Amino acid sequence: MLYQPRTKSQELTTLELLSKRKNLTSQEKQLYLNLEKGYEGEKLFDRYMEELLQSDCLILNDLLLQVNNTTFQIDSLIIAQGKTYLYEVKNHEGDYYYQSDKFFKKPNFEVVNPLHQLSRCESLFRQLLLKNGFNPPTHASVVFINPNFTLYGAPLDKPIIFPTQIEWYVNNLKAKNYKVTDRDMKIANKLMELHQVDTPFSQLPHFEFEQLQKGIVCSECYSFSIVIEKSLYICKHCHHKETITNAILNAIRELQILFPDKKITTNLVYDWCKGIKSKKTISRMLNTHFKKVGEHRWTYYE
C-alpha cells in the first residue's frame, strides 16, 4: 500500500520552470541535472517496488523529518510486520571504486560515501522512533539503481543492493507475505504527522519577474514557438495542440510556483503570457477558474 507517494521536489520543479525561461548558470544547470537524475533514479526504484503494492505493507516516500534539531530525508521506507526497511537510492552511472572506506569515480574523483549517508540517516531515524515510543527492527540499505553502474572493490559486509540484485530483493520481500499491524499503522501515522513540507536544504538561485522570458510555453517540448488557430495553441516545433484555456492555466500555475508571494491579477497574467491580445479573455478565464477577491483596481484571484 502506497502510504506516502513520491512527488517532484519544489526545488526541482522550480529549476525545471526556470530552465525554460532563463539561461541557467553552469552551477544552476549542474544542480538541476543532479536533482533531475536523483528523481529519475527514485522513480525507477518505485517501479521495482510496485511489485509490493499488492502486498500488505506500507510504503512511504520522500520523508523529510527532524530530530534533535537535525533534519534528514528518507528516500523510501517500508513498514510491515513490526519492521522498517529504509532505502537510500543512488542513480550513479559509470565506473566507481571503493577504497579505504571512501568512494571514487574513476579515475580518481572522490564522491560522498553513500554508506556514510545511510548510516547517518538510519541513526537519526532510530532516534526519532525512540523519541516517539517506537523501537522496531530497522534494516537500512543503499540501492544503486542505475544499470550502468559498476563498483570495483565492493565491500561484501556492507548493506548494498546492486542493480542486478533489485529484482531478486523485491521478490524476496514479496515471498515473506508480511502483514501490517496496528503498531505499523501507528508508526506510519506518526511519521506522516512529523513529515515536513518545506526543506531547509534548498539551493534555489535568486531571480526576478523581469529576468524571465514571457510567453506561453509548449507543455510537451517547452518551445515558445506557439501559434493560435481558433481556440487552440499549436506548437510549431512538435505540433502539440492544447486549448487556450489549458495553456493559460498552465502558465498561471508556473506563476504560482515561481512567485508564490505575487497576487494573481489580470495584468500580471497578461504580462506573463505575452501574446494574448485580449485582457478580457484572461479576465473571463480567471473569473471562471479562480476565486475573485476585491473589486476594480484591487481585484486579484486565489
Side-chain angles (χ1 to χ4, degrees):
M1 174 175 153
L2 188 57
Y3 203 71
Q4 159 81 343
R6 190 179 307 284
T7 56
K8 194 176 292 186
S9 71
Q10 182 77 13
E11 192 173 21
L12 176 54
T13 300
T14 300
L15 283 168
E16 189 175 58
L17 295 177
L18 284 177
S19 69
K20 305 175 191 176
R21 296 184 178 271
K22 73 183 287 285
N23 292 323
L24 300 179
T25 65
S26 58
Q27 186 175 357
E28 292 165 357
K29 284 180 183 176
Q30 191 59 55
L31 174 61
Y32 175 36
L33 291 174
N34 289 344
L35 290 172
E36 186 176 47
K37 189 166 186 178
Y39 179 69
E40 288 172 353
E42 290 165 356
K43 293 296 287 184
L44 180 57
F45 180 69
D46 292 344
R47 288 199 285 275
Y48 280 107
M49 300 306 282
E50 283 176 3
E51 292 288 319
L52 291 173
L53 291 181
Q54 296 178 355
S55 302
D56 199 0
C57 66
L58 302 171
I59 302 177
L60 293 83
N61 295 319
D62 285 337
L63 286 171
L64 188 64
L65 303 165
Q66 186 180 79
V67 62
N68 300 329
N69 296 318
T70 302
T71 302
F72 64 103
Q73 183 172 341
I74 297 175
D75 291 337
S76 284
L77 181 76
I78 292 176
I79 306 173
Q81 204 89 21
K83 298 179 181 179
T84 59
Y85 297 84
L86 185 155
Y87 304 98
E88 178 82 22
V89 181
K90 294 299 179 186
N91 196 14
H92 293 341
E93 185 175 8
D95 292 335
Y96 289 73
Y97 64 94
Y98 182 89
Q99 186 179 80
S100 303
D101 201 32
K102 295 179 180 179
F103 264 74
F104 297 88
K105 183 171 186 179
K106 283 193 168 184
N108 57 1
F109 181 75
E110 185 175 357
V111 299
V112 175
N113 187 336
L115 290 169
H116 294 168
Q117 291 178 291
L118 179 72
S119 178
R120 173 184 180 274
C121 183
E122 182 183 6
S123 174
L124 292 170
F125 181 60
R126 289 181 189 276
Q127 292 175 48
L128 180 67
L129 290 178
L130 282 171
K131 189 174 181 180
N132 287 278
F134 303 107
N135 189 25
T138 298
H139 305 271
S141 304
V142 173
V143 181
F144 291 105
I145 197 70
N146 197 307
N148 297 315
F149 170 81
T150 300
L151 180 63
Y152 296 94
L156 299 177
D157 60 340
K158 302 296 183 183
I160 296 175
I161 301 173
F162 290 103
T164 55
Q165 299 174 312
I166 297 172
E167 189 171 345
W168 170 86
Y169 178 83
V170 172
N171 288 333
N172 189 48
L173 283 180
K174 282 176 60 181
K176 294 181 184 296
N177 292 318
Y178 285 137
K179 299 294 181 182
V180 173
T181 66
D182 290 341
R183 189 75 166 167
D184 296 334
M185 288 299 303
K186 288 179 180 178
I187 293 174
N189 289 332
K190 174 54 69 173
L191 291 174
M192 290 304 301
E193 178 187 324
L194 297 174
H195 171 65
Q196 301 180 6
V197 177
D198 298 323
T199 175
F201 307 131
S202 178
Q203 304 176 59
L204 285 175
H206 177 76
F207 56 92
E208 301 287 349
F209 183 84
E210 293 74 18
Q211 296 175 304
L212 305 186
Q213 184 175 351
K214 311 302 186 295
I216 296 290
V217 180
C218 173
S219 60
E220 291 294 316
C221 71
Y222 309 140
S223 168
F224 282 90
S225 299
I226 304 290
V227 293
I228 299 176
E229 289 188 12
K230 297 182 179 179
S231 61
L232 296 176
Y233 268 111
I234 301 176
C235 177
K236 292 194 293 184
H237 186 261
C238 73
H239 309 296
H240 174 69
K241 296 179 181 180
E242 192 168 21
T243 65
I244 290 176
T245 297
N246 282 344
I248 295 174
L249 286 173
N250 286 337
I252 292 172
R253 291 188 194 99
E254 287 185 343
L255 262 176
Q256 291 173 319
I257 292 170
L258 293 173
F259 303 100
D261 296 330
K262 281 188 179 292
K263 291 181 176 179
I264 300 300
T265 65
T266 299
N267 285 335
L268 181 68
V269 175
Y270 179 78
D271 291 341
W272 182 249
C273 291
K274 187 185 176 183
I276 298 177
K277 295 179 180 179
S278 172
K279 287 186 181 181
K280 289 183 179 179
T281 300
I282 294 173
S283 184
R284 280 196 303 269
M285 197 215 61
L286 287 171
N287 281 308
T288 301
H289 295 276
F290 295 84
K291 178 184 175 183
K292 183 179 178 181
V293 180
E295 293 291 338
H296 307 299
R297 58 184 294 190
W298 292 280
T299 299
Y300 65 95
Y301 297 85
E302 295 179 338

